[in-house]
Structures are given as structure tokens and as C-alpha cells.
Amino acid sequence: MSREYTEITVIGEDDTGLIARVTTLLFERDINIEDLDQAVRDGVFRMTMSVDTSGMTCTEAELREALGDLGDDLGVEVQVRFPADRETQTIAVLVTKESHCLEALFEAWADGELGAEISVIIGNHDDLEPLADHYGVDFHDIGDEKGSPDEERLLEVLDDYDTDLIVLARYMRILSPNVVFRYEDRIINIHPSLLPAFPGAEAYRQAREEGVRIGGVTAHYVTTDLDQGPIITQRAFNVPAKADVDEIERRGQPLEAEALLEAVRLHLDNAVHVYHGRTEYRDDVDPEEYQLGLPESFEERQPDRPVDGLGGVVSRNADGD
């Protein structure tokens, strides 16, 4: 029997015995827990589970009702997402003012390459509303005159559009735990550096100041730790000796769009999962279908000698000869 990965998220105030109550309910219905992670940040408790419901002894409706009743009893919010819920996924794209990543997402969507629906664009400024209008997608501005977002409004919009995946297409604001915990491993960001190098703002400027010779970009899942979430895809480019920040940015922006698109595709295809803080391929995935890092052509130029222990003199010395 093939596995059916169902996602369960619990959000609320921490309380003694909460985890045990939820896991016991699942055990009693023959539901196997594949992965469980929990955290508390800024007074918000979050538990996420990936469970196998292929052999459960209840219906989907009965499980939803049981978890909902338990959530009411415990005073927490419980979200359940079955595999069938994700067949036609909806994407909410968060933006600020830079358009290149949003343009790439729209083009892939229009060409039928995403296999999902871009249902809404949410900005903390209204600069990209005309681009959303061009593609016939609703735009919501949740920022004030300084661009500070209203996160309660953000959560309302995400809920109104039944959002499956959030894509941060150069969204220049930090999401609070109140948002991140509700969409654990369902928020993808693009950062203009080869993380973990140069996290935070002004990554291209940091790269210029540190004199890097190879720059890059990283698409990763968002966590409550800034730019430290599990890495999905990366791309790299050469930085000429006299390149200024603008030149580095010009070289990086096309790769930002490419890496972000590939990360979105990997997620929508259910080709990757997060395990112990790392992003890994699922067992039944053909890695040749995707590009996590540099293309295979770079392997041909990678030196393969010398390597420790291959030299005969070293081997003899190690043996005491």
C-alpha cells in the first residue's frame, strides 16, 4: 500500500499534555506519524506533523471532526491537509516593489508550467498592482504609507483564498511566528546570496564588501529564524573583480527567478520534504528531473585530483612502510 502523506498543524498556547492528546488520537485511529516537530516562539506554540493516513480506521471527515473537537477542548487551532486537498493548489505571492520574480512566476503560470493556480498577489506597497491586473489576478495592498504590513489582514486574505503555498517574490518584510507557524514548510523565499552567507538585508552589498568571487542566490523554506530555513535550490555566478553592487545585482536577479521557480516546482510536485531541518528528495523521486544546484555541465570542469589517500607515497607512509 502506498503512503498518503497528510499534514497536521496545531497552533495556540502551550499546555501540558497537548502533544500527547493529539498523538494518542492519531494512534487510536491507526495513523502512523512519519515526522513531528514542535516549537514555541513569542508565546505561540506550533506543532507540525506529517502522518501516513493510508491505513487509518476512520474517514477523512471523521478525522477532521475529531481533531477539530480536540482543538476546541484544548483551546488550539488544528489544520488538516489531506493529499486530495493539494491536487489543485493555490499560490499567494507576496511582493514589495521588485518585479522580476513575480514576472517569472506569472510567465510560468501562463505557460501552464506550474500545475497550480496563482490566486492572489499581496503587497506591502501597490507598485506591482498593474502587473497583477495584466494577468487578471486579484491584488491586495496590506501595507500602510510606510509599507508596514497588517499581518491580521494578511492572514485573512490567505484564508479567504484558501492558500496552499506562499511565495515571497522579493517581499522585503519579515513574517512573524503568527504567520510562519500556520504555514510551516509552505512558505518559500528567495534570498540573494548563497546562504548561510550574508543573511538579512543588503546581501549583494555584503557580498561586494567582503570581496566574494562567486555570488549566488538561495530559495529556502521560511522559518522563524531569519534566512536560516531549509535550503531548496541554489544558483551561482561569477563576480568580476571590479563589479559594483548594481552589476552583482544584475547578474543575480535572473538566477533569483530561476531558483525560485525550481523551488516552487519541487514543492508543488511533492518532490521534497523537510527532514531534521534539511530538505531532501522523497524516495520515489528521480533527481534528474530537477536542478537543486549547479547544472551537470559544471561537473565536467570540476577537478578530481588530488584526493587524500590516492597517492602511493601517502598510502605507504600510512601503512608504516
Side-chain angles (χ1 to χ4, degrees):
M1 181 182 296
S2 61
R3 294 179 178 179
E4 296 180 0
Y5 293 104
T6 296
E7 300 166 10
I8 299 174
T9 304
V10 180
I11 304 287
E13 294 185 4
D14 196 9
D15 194 11
T16 302
L18 192 155
I19 296 176
R21 293 280 300 278
V22 176
T23 55
T24 298
L25 185 152
L26 299 176
F27 174 77
E28 291 172 344
R29 289 158 179 78
D30 294 326
I31 296 171
N32 187 50
I33 299 173
E34 299 287 335
D35 191 33
L36 184 152
D37 184 56
Q38 58 90 24
V40 178
R41 184 63 62 89
D42 296 343
V44 180
F45 169 83
R46 180 269 305 163
M47 178 171 64
T48 56
M49 291 179 286
S50 177
V51 303
D52 180 10
T53 51
S54 59
M56 69 179 180
T57 54
C58 65
T59 66
E60 292 184 0
E62 288 170 342
L63 180 59
R64 286 188 194 276
E65 182 178 359
L67 286 170
D69 290 343
L70 179 59
D72 292 340
D73 185 37
L74 296 173
V76 297
E77 176 185 335
V78 182
Q79 302 172 354
V80 185
R81 300 177 69 244
F82 291 99
D85 298 338
R86 306 192 295 274
E87 288 180 357
T88 303
Q89 299 192 64
T90 57
I91 301 173
V93 185
L94 273 58
V95 298
T96 296
K97 295 184 177 183
E98 296 182 26
S99 66
H100 56 287
C101 286
L102 179 59
E103 289 178 26
L105 287 165
F106 271 143
E107 288 174 4
W109 177 51
D111 292 340
E113 298 175 0
L114 284 185
E117 183 80 9
I118 297 179
S119 59
V120 63
I121 309 300
I122 306 171
N124 62 315
H125 292 281
D126 63 2
D127 296 58
L128 299 184
E129 185 171 5
L131 184 57
D133 290 343
H134 176 75
Y135 282 91
V137 177
D138 294 344
F139 185 96
H140 291 266
D141 181 3
I142 61 166
D144 61 17
E145 63 278 0
K146 295 182 179 180
S148 298
D150 181 346
E151 282 207 340
E152 290 302 321
R153 176 58 182 152
L154 171 61
L155 287 172
E156 289 176 2
V157 175
L158 293 173
D159 185 61
D160 287 345
Y161 286 85
D162 195 21
T163 301
D164 292 303
L165 175 65
I166 302 171
V167 178
L168 307 186
R170 301 298 287 139
Y171 180 67
M172 309 303 289
R173 291 288 175 171
I174 298 173
L175 297 175
S176 76
N178 199 35
V179 176
V180 174
F181 281 173
R182 282 174 165 76
Y183 293 89
E184 191 81 8
D185 299 336
R186 290 194 285 142
I187 308 174
I188 297 177
N189 181 49
I190 185 67
H191 183 76
S193 80
L194 290 173
L195 291 173
F198 313 132
E202 302 284 348
Y204 288 133
R205 184 174 300 280
Q206 292 183 62
R208 175 68 179 86
E209 292 173 349
E210 294 297 330
V212 302
R213 294 292 177 249
I214 297 177
V217 303
T218 302
H220 65 97
Y221 285 113
V222 173
T223 66
T224 53
D225 296 313
L226 180 62
D227 296 331
Q228 296 183 41
I231 291 170
I232 309 172
T233 58
Q234 292 186 305
R235 298 291 186 271
F237 58 90
N238 283 323
V239 179
K242 295 184 178 181
D244 59 15
V245 174
D246 289 341
E247 173 61 19
I248 296 173
E249 186 172 357
R250 279 193 295 273
R251 288 172 175 252
Q253 283 189 345
L255 295 179
E256 291 176 25
E258 180 181 304
L260 181 61
L261 272 175
E262 186 72 338
V264 169
R265 189 165 75 95
L266 282 156
H267 178 92
L268 293 174
D269 290 350
N270 199 30
V272 294
H273 68 113
V274 177
Y275 182 72
H276 290 177
R278 290 172 51 90
T279 302
E280 305 282 0
Y281 281 126
R282 293 199 183 276
D283 293 339
D284 56 350
V285 170
D286 180 2
E288 294 184 0
E289 294 183 13
Y290 305 96
Q291 182 184 334
L292 297 185
L294 295 172
E296 289 186 4
S297 58
F298 277 75
E299 293 291 333
E300 300 173 2
R301 306 186 65 178
Q302 177 71 27
D304 62 358
R305 295 292 187 278
V307 177
D308 281 352
L310 291 184
V313 174
V314 174
S315 297
R316 287 195 298 271
N317 288 342
D319 294 336
D321 293 340

